[in-house]
Amino acid sequence: MEKTELTLTYTEELPALGKAVRPRKEPKKPFPWKTLGQTGCFCLAGVFWGRAEVLQILHPMGLGYLSAFLGEGWLFWPVWLAVGLGAFAHVPLKAGAGMAAALAIQLTLGRFVGREEYGKKAFLGAFASALAGIFYAISKQGLGFYFAVAAMECSLTLVISYLLQKGISTLLEREHFILTREETISFVLLAGGVLAGMASLEQEGIQSAFLPMAASFCLLLAARQEGIGGGAAAGVFLGFLLFVCGGIDMPLFIALSLGGLFAGSVREFGRLASALAMVLSPCIFLFYIEMEKLHPYWLGGLAVGALLFCLLPKRVLEKLNGARVTENPADRYDRLQEMTEAKLLDCSAAFHALGKTFRRQETQIEKGERNRMVDTIAGKVCQGCGLAHYCWEEELYRTYSMTFSALSLCEEKGRVQKNDLPRYFQETCPRADGFAEMVNGVFELHRRDRLWDDRLLECRELVGQQMAAVGDIMQMLSGQMAVDCIFLEGAEDALRTALKKQGIHPQKVVAAEEDGQRLVRLTVPTCGGKGVCRSKILQLVEKVMDCPMALLEEGTCAVDGEGRTCTLSFREKPVFAVHGATAFFPASEKGPTGDAAAFLETEKGRTLLALSDGMGTGAAAAKESHTAIELLEQFTEAGFDRELSVRMINSALLLRRGEETYATLDICEIDLYNGHAVFIKLGAAASYLWRNGRVISLRSAALPAGILKQVVPEQNEMLLKDGDMLFMVTDGITDALGGEEQTAAWLKGKLLAFPVANPEDAAEYILQEAKKERERAEVHQDDMTVLAARFWKKRV
């Protein structure tokens, strides 16, 4: 089989592409603030937080907000100015003292405070509040009342700062929100502080219209995020904060709490139901309790906030709600992942150590073994000889040296004769002929023993390689444990509700997004073969997940041991599709072909095309190629990495190399979600991509599998386009056409003369035309195989 070079070129005067590998993007350095607008929002919020006051006498809000920005570099300074601007509206002396204390803390201790050190920041904010309160109390002649106020402000600053920091930290660190319940409450507090500061402006339009609008919008988001519990908690929290800050009175506080409660309770029925609950429940309550509060502006504000919530884009809600992850399952998964990786690495180290014990050691004839060979010769030849005492006692050194020389000569020549022995020995020894024959016999036995020892050592070495390969597998699997997976709790709740409406009560519902693909796994009561999974559940899953979904293993259900439930798995349908076909022609019409091919679609939206050519032709070649293809299919279905699969196949073929056999491997793996294709070749002929009247050649210079002990597969990567046609061929095709470059030109001419879109027709057409060329050229008869695959984008 012809060795080739690794290139990637167009055929007709097109520039060489080299390896079509997508360049890696340099990671961008994360910034705490994304845009200048975000910084402006922080400053605007700081103004209102600085203005807010509790019970018309306490001022913990400004320092509580400002302490969340301790240690944030230059971002602290504009926020500090904004909070100070708002705080000076009430008690300038106390506000100035608090701002000065916060400034001193930032300059001295700010660089020692990390973003996630919530407790330390809250303590420093409380310390600044205490200093300001004590200073103000002293300025008031040290009255105990002001010291009590300072203590209360210090405590409130500590609590407010700690609760607020999770929301601030989330805004600084993340671009896409995956909120926990604590972060949701923190955002409600942040919004409540802004609204409380606005209420202090005492503007009729703000209190009568804007406050109910903003409160309604925030409570609906919290209810959508957390359900009945989160909606009620957010309503109570926000209403109480506005109440103690003077923004609303007691009836309106209760009305907002009820609105959040009922909005969360009807979350499963959609946004419109939540919006109606948010508007109607406060109206009904106020109608019976205090009808004077039903001001048209206040009601209009509630309605506008509900309307804005209903008009909010769906993708925004998905970021805030559909992709929310709870902390505990993620933490448990991380711990299990770390433990599993540690166990795999320990097993890997054990197998590597076991493999080292089977390493081949150089074997040499030890001195003791040589002495035993000499003793054997002397015992069998010289026993009973009258000159034995003279040779082995008086002339011991000379006799030993002569025997060693005879053994060395036998090793060089294969056999020693009497004439090869020293002349004095031939004249003196009466048994010289028998001595020479005995040397040959003893050395022949020794040579047979060495041959068996070498074979055993070679087997030990191969077993050691397999042990090391198993260790490599476990080590690579430990590195593949991390899965980029987001659990969609909102989708899980929606699926559970939709199934219950159809009379199906699921036991388990899992909705997730892995590598950009949406997955659903359901455990439902068995339908008894009525096809419910296809007629009802699939449509519900597609509606809730808002994308086309495919039922994995369609027509079968994974039934548990008792037969009462079945587990259904769904995955988002790929954007692209691949259809392939293979045409074979053996070297001998009566014998089997030595080539093997595979076309495999995995559940993760990947398609594997593979072609293998065994050494020679006939049954022996077919055995090697089919072994390579079968192993590749098994490793792929098991989820093994491409490179690891190739290495394992190479190692397996090495163990079978008693007859010095090997097989080529030509692999193409295509991601059907983005069209990314990876090509791996081990000794295989070039592949050809037909695109818009042009031919792209893909070549490799790697040796076939089963020759070298260590193989490092080289990969080509490129992005396929709609309508591309891929041709993978064995060397029987390229040899018949005069080489790989000639094959590219010939293939272009044939496809231009006879355009084909069906892979079955294309494979058969190319094979038949190549057979004609071989007959005309009268080249060596070899197996001929063409694998054709067409890649296209699905039409929705």
Side-chain angles (χ1 to χ4, degrees), residues 541-770:
V541 171
E542 290 182 333
K543 182 178 179 181
V544 173
M545 302 305 293
D546 194 24
C547 64
M549 303 290 290
L551 174 63
L552 303 183
E553 298 181 1
E554 184 176 350
T556 61
C557 297
V559 184
D560 66 4
E562 299 179 357
R564 298 177 181 177
T565 62
C566 60
T567 302
L568 306 175
S569 298
F570 303 86
R571 180 178 286 271
E572 183 177 352
K573 288 183 179 180
V575 179
F576 299 96
V578 176
H579 179 56
T582 308
F584 296 94
F585 185 76
S588 175
E589 295 184 0
K590 297 182 179 180
T593 177
D595 302 336
F599 183 90
L600 179 65
E601 293 184 356
T602 67
E603 293 182 350
K604 293 187 176 182
R606 296 180 181 272
T607 295
L608 181 74
L609 307 173
L611 194 59
S612 179
D613 183 2
M615 186 186 73
T617 59
K623 185 177 181 180
E624 298 301 323
S625 62
H626 281 81
T627 298
I629 291 297
E630 289 174 0
L631 290 174
L632 180 62
E633 290 179 336
Q634 292 174 2
F635 290 146
T636 301
E637 291 176 349
F640 281 75
D641 182 76
R642 292 181 300 269
E643 182 176 350
L644 180 60
S645 300
V646 171
R647 291 171 55 190
M648 288 299 298
I649 293 172
N650 181 76
S651 182
L653 293 179
L654 275 172
L655 287 176
R656 297 162 54 93
R657 66 173 185 165
E659 301 176 357
E660 297 296 332
T661 58
Y662 60 86
T664 67
L665 271 178
D666 195 355
I667 302 171
C668 175
E669 186 180 56
I670 305 173
D671 190 332
L672 298 182
Y673 289 95
N674 54 27
H676 180 251
V678 178
F679 298 88
I680 298 178
K681 291 180 178 291
L682 290 182
S687 297
Y688 305 95
L689 186 68
W690 174 250
R691 174 183 293 173
N692 297 328
R694 298 177 297 176
V695 173
I696 303 174
S697 302
L698 299 103
R699 307 175 186 175
S700 173
L703 292 175
I707 295 180
L708 300 178
K709 295 179 181 179
Q710 298 294 334
V711 59
V712 180
E714 194 166 357
Q715 301 182 3
N716 275 336
E717 302 180 26
M718 66 184 307
L719 196 63
L720 299 182
K721 297 182 179 181
D722 185 20
D724 285 350
M725 180 82 77
L726 176 66
F727 292 93
M728 301 169 65
V729 299
T730 58
D731 60 350
I733 298 291
T734 56
D735 291 346
L737 300 174
E740 295 178 347
E741 293 184 3
Q742 292 81 355
T743 301
W746 176 88
L747 185 63
K748 177 185 176 183
K750 292 297 180 181
L751 293 176
L752 288 175
F754 185 72
V756 287
N758 190 344
E760 288 89 350
D761 297 337
E764 188 64 30
Y765 170 65
I766 295 300
L767 178 65
Q768 296 300 327
E769 293 297 316

Side-chain angles (χ1 to χ4, degrees), residues 56-79:
Q56 298 182 351
I57 193 173
L58 302 176
H59 303 88
M61 305 288 286
L63 288 176
Y65 179 84
L66 182 60
S67 62
F69 295 89
L70 290 172
E72 293 297 338
W74 69 268
L75 182 61
F76 173 86
W77 304 111
V79 175

Side-chain angles (χ1 to χ4, degrees), residues 373 407 410-411 438-447:
M373 294 172 65
L407 289 171
C410 186
E411 185 175 7
M438 184 56 63
V439 169
N440 292 327
V442 169
F443 187 80
E444 181 65 24
L445 291 175
H446 165 73
R447 184 161 52 191

Side-chain angles (χ1 to χ4, degrees), residues 85-230:
L85 181 63
F88 275 97
H90 295 293
V91 186
L93 182 61
K94 183 189 290 187
M99 292 297 100
L103 178 63
I105 291 174
Q106 170 68 12
L107 293 175
T108 55
L109 302 176
R111 64 178 182 272
F112 301 109
V113 180
R115 178 170 294 170
E116 302 294 333
E117 294 179 318
Y118 301 145
K120 186 182 292 186
K121 286 185 178 182
F123 177 80
L124 292 177
F127 180 67
S129 177
L131 292 178
I134 293 172
F135 174 80
Y136 186 75
I138 294 174
S139 69
K140 295 294 183 179
Q141 290 80 38
L143 294 178
F145 171 78
Y146 292 102
F147 282 105
V149 170
M152 183 65 68
E153 287 180 341
C154 178
S155 301
L156 289 176
T157 302
L158 180 68
V159 175
I160 291 172
S161 175
Y162 187 83
L163 294 177
L164 186 64
Q165 285 180 58
K166 283 202 172 185
I168 298 295
S169 177
T170 301
L171 290 174
L172 290 173
E173 289 183 347
R174 304 181 191 174
E175 183 176 359
H176 302 287
F177 299 130
I178 302 176
L179 302 180
T180 62
R181 289 184 174 86
E182 291 79 4
E183 291 168 347
T184 302
I185 297 299
S186 183
F187 278 121
V188 172
L189 175 60
L190 179 60
V194 173
L195 295 180
M198 289 183 177
S200 68
L201 296 176
E202 297 181 354
Q203 297 292 327
E204 181 65 20
I206 294 179
Q207 290 189 340
S208 61
F210 185 82
L211 281 183
M213 179 190 71
S216 172
F217 183 80
C218 293
L219 292 181
L220 283 170
L221 285 178
R224 175 78 177 184
Q225 175 80 5
E226 299 294 341
I228 183 172

